[in-house]
Amino acid sequence: MPREGVQRGREELGDDGVMEGTGDNGTFTAAADYKAADLTQLSFRRGERIVVHQQMSNEWWWAELGGCFGYVPASYLTERDPLQDLGEEDTWQDDEYFNSYSKLKLQQEMLADRVRTETYGAVMKRSRAWLRGKAVLDVGCGSGIISMLCAKHAQPSRVYAVEASELARLTEQVVRCNGMKDTVRVLQGRVEDVELPGSVDCLVSEWMGTCLLFEFMIESVLQARDRWLRDGGVMWPSTAALHLTPCSAQREYTDKIGFWDWQYELDFSQLRTEAAKEYFSKPKHDHQMDPDDCLAEPCCILQLDMSKVQTSELEEITYEFIFEVKKAGPMHGFAAWFSTEFKCPDSNPSIILDTGPMSTATHWKQTLFMLDSPVAVTPGDFVVGSVALRRNPVWRRHMSVAFRWRVAPSTDAPDAIGEGQKTFPLWR
């Protein structure tokens, strides 16, 4: 793997061989392989020792490897040796993850989301004839609502309701209370570990998270698919898509940044830059957009066929976008949301669950990625760039979303109205 990066002369270094103006020195170990995207970055392999000269941001550090200098993604570096036994560390953070879903507060939020819950119920009703007598696997059943809606509306032969958290024992009580214990069998454990008596005809799950993939429950679903779903079996959702648009977010910007302009007849504007770094370094995962905040037609940056997609395809996803601005206003950043499709055997059309701003609000809402400074745009301008979704190489439920953008009157205009790049961690 070439290192890329830039060979630096001694004239650019201080007396001790370190770049001037740096103070965050330290030697770190690469937690995973990384291939440089351009000549400003370093490529490295897992286990290599990398000297960090400056921690430029939460996402990118200036570093040295073998006499070459360049930027490296901070999430790929660790102070420990990843080649040693990681037995005491849970890189999937299963205890934290499953404990959060054992809380009734979170289950109440999901049950109260009528769009989400009634969509699954509608799928069961529409497919009742096909489901009758079939075996169904519900991955991550939570409160058991999807399993029980299936049993109530479709008369399957068996629903295996798998739940890894301690909530499973309460879910079993709810199933018994509703007289469904002969149909719905609650199994406590990770779906990777449970044993079923045989293959199933249908796999259903509500696995979607922030930006569709966050928490990567999808990996468990895909493993369950490969292990238990019979050939020709049905996956619900059948497909999933992630959508993106440039947007305005004036209220968010005013609340977080405009606040510092003037307080108690005193000028606090010197704090605006630091406020933007603090407030906008991570995305807002529960942002409720007004449809009028969309500055261009959204585009689909990711489309998954749940019957075919492989986990390896989700490590890094890059999409090149071109948006034509349809509405004048400040471009504060980008907004993302997902939609899922449920294909019902012997029935058309499909049922769609859409979490976008043009649809009835769900508990997912939308994800807002704020730029540090807004860019004024007018109809006919173009927002050109790329977005990259990268799974964290160490903390496997986490990911990052990196944007490069350029705003210009036309796609090939020599002068940009505004441009930049920014990486947002979700959450490490």
Side-chain angles (χ1 to χ4, degrees):
M1 181 185 294
R3 281 176 177 153
E4 304 293 351
V6 180
Q7 186 75 37
R8 297 294 184 184
R10 290 289 302 181
E11 68 276 5
E12 297 180 66
L13 304 178
D15 293 338
D16 59 356
V18 177
M19 288 187 65
E20 297 288 354
T22 64
D24 298 306
N25 305 331
T27 301
F28 293 78
T29 303
D33 293 351
Y34 179 76
K35 181 175 174 57
D38 54 47
L39 290 175
T40 69
Q41 300 177 11
L42 287 175
S43 294
F44 49 81
R45 292 188 181 280
R46 184 179 186 216
E48 288 192 297
R49 300 290 283 171
I50 298 172
V51 178
V52 173
H53 290 300
Q54 188 172 12
Q55 297 181 12
M56 311 294 293
S57 68
N58 290 335
E59 296 83 33
W60 292 98
W61 294 351
W62 182 258
E64 176 187 2
L65 175 62
C68 292
F69 289 77
Y71 292 103
V72 297
S75 63
Y76 279 67
L77 302 187
T78 176
E79 292 184 285
R80 63 174 295 149
D81 185 354
L83 299 180
Q84 296 176 351
D85 181 22
L86 292 177
E88 73 273 18
E89 288 198 31
D90 174 18
T91 57
W92 275 85
Q93 299 173 299
D94 277 349
D95 287 344
E96 176 185 336
Y97 174 69
F98 292 128
N99 284 343
S100 69
Y101 281 92
S102 69
K103 307 301 182 185
L104 291 182
K105 178 181 179 181
L106 185 55
Q107 296 299 324
Q108 180 178 359
E109 180 182 15
M110 292 188 286
L111 279 171
D113 185 342
R114 300 191 68 85
V115 174
R116 163 213 182 251
T117 307
E118 291 178 355
T119 295
Y120 279 87
V123 171
M124 302 307 169
K125 290 178 182 178
R126 182 175 294 183
S127 305
R128 60 165 62 92
W130 180 84
L131 278 169
R132 187 171 295 116
K134 298 287 199 305
V136 178
L137 172 59
D138 180 1
V139 178
C141 70
S143 66
I145 180 62
I146 295 174
S147 293
M148 290 188 289
L149 288 174
C150 182
K152 177 181 178 180
H153 296 304
Q155 298 179 339
S157 62
R158 174 71 78 179
V159 180
Y160 300 102
V162 178
E163 173 58 37
S165 78
E166 290 297 319
L167 183 67
R169 58 185 179 82
L170 299 178
T171 300
E172 188 168 18
Q173 294 177 23
V174 175
V175 169
R176 289 178 177 275
C177 178
N178 283 276
M180 297 180 178
K181 65 180 181 63
D182 291 336
T183 302
V184 178
R185 180 184 175 189
V186 179
L187 301 173
Q188 182 172 0
R190 298 169 69 252
V191 73
E192 294 88 342
D193 301 328
V194 300
E195 292 293 334
L196 305 182
S199 61
V200 298
D201 304 286
C202 176
L203 189 156
V204 62
S205 180
E206 194 269 80
W207 53 265
M208 301 80 71
T210 299
C211 269
L212 184 63
L213 296 177
F214 176 62
E215 294 181 323
F216 283 88
M217 182 181 170
I218 187 175
E219 179 165 337
S220 296
V221 172
L222 297 183
Q223 289 188 35
R225 175 200 67 188
D226 295 342
R227 188 179 180 196
W228 296 115
L229 188 63
R230 68 166 175 81
D231 290 343
V234 170
M235 292 278 291
W236 285 328
S238 312
T239 68
L242 183 61
H243 309 274
L244 185 75
T245 188
C247 69
S248 292
Q250 189 60 54
R251 180 180 297 177
E252 189 73 14
Y253 188 81
T254 300
D255 287 348
K256 297 297 191 293
I257 307 303
F259 172 89
W260 298 103
D261 284 344
W262 197 255
Q263 290 293 327
Y264 304 99
E265 301 181 357
L266 295 171
D267 185 358
F268 282 81
S269 61
Q270 294 299 308
L271 302 181
R272 287 170 61 103
T273 299
E274 287 302 314
K277 290 181 180 178
E278 179 178 332
Y279 293 130
F280 301 154
S281 63
K282 289 186 177 182
K284 183 179 181 184
H285 65 89
D286 58 350
H287 180 66
Q288 185 62 62
M289 286 181 66
D290 188 301
D292 289 339
D293 288 338
C294 296
L295 298 174
E297 290 295 322
C299 69
C300 176
I301 64 173
L302 173 63
Q303 180 81 33
L304 301 178
D305 181 340
M306 294 300 294
S307 68
K308 298 178 181 178
V309 65
Q310 300 297 315
T311 302
S312 59
E313 299 172 35
L314 307 177
E315 292 295 323
E316 181 167 341
I317 300 152
T318 302
Y319 182 87
E320 304 284 337
F321 56 72
I322 301 177
F323 293 103
E324 182 178 357
V325 175
K326 301 296 185 182
K327 178 182 177 182
M331 175 181 152
H332 290 107
F334 297 90
W337 62 88
F338 67 83
S339 62
T340 56
E341 176 190 20
F342 298 79
K343 296 178 180 178
C344 302
D346 304 325
S347 177
N348 285 308
S350 299
I351 292 177
I352 304 296
L353 171 60
D354 191 332
T355 66
M358 280 69 76
S359 300
T360 305
T362 68
H363 77 282
W364 286 287
K365 301 178 184 176
Q366 293 85 49
T367 304
L368 176 64
F369 301 91
M370 292 286 282
L371 311 183
D372 291 340
S373 300
V375 179
V377 296
T378 57
D381 290 344
F382 288 88
V383 181
V384 183
S386 65
V387 56
L389 285 72
R390 298 186 179 98
R391 191 174 184 183
N392 191 301
V394 178
W395 305 101
R396 303 300 284 157
R397 294 199 185 278
H398 297 220
M399 60 187 285
S400 66
V401 182
F403 291 92
R404 293 177 183 266
W405 73 89
R406 180 175 180 271
V407 182
S410 66
T411 56
D412 57 356
D415 297 322
I417 300 168
E419 58 185 335
Q421 60 184 43
K422 189 171 182 180
T423 299
F424 299 83
L426 285 172
W427 295 112
R428 285 181 186 264

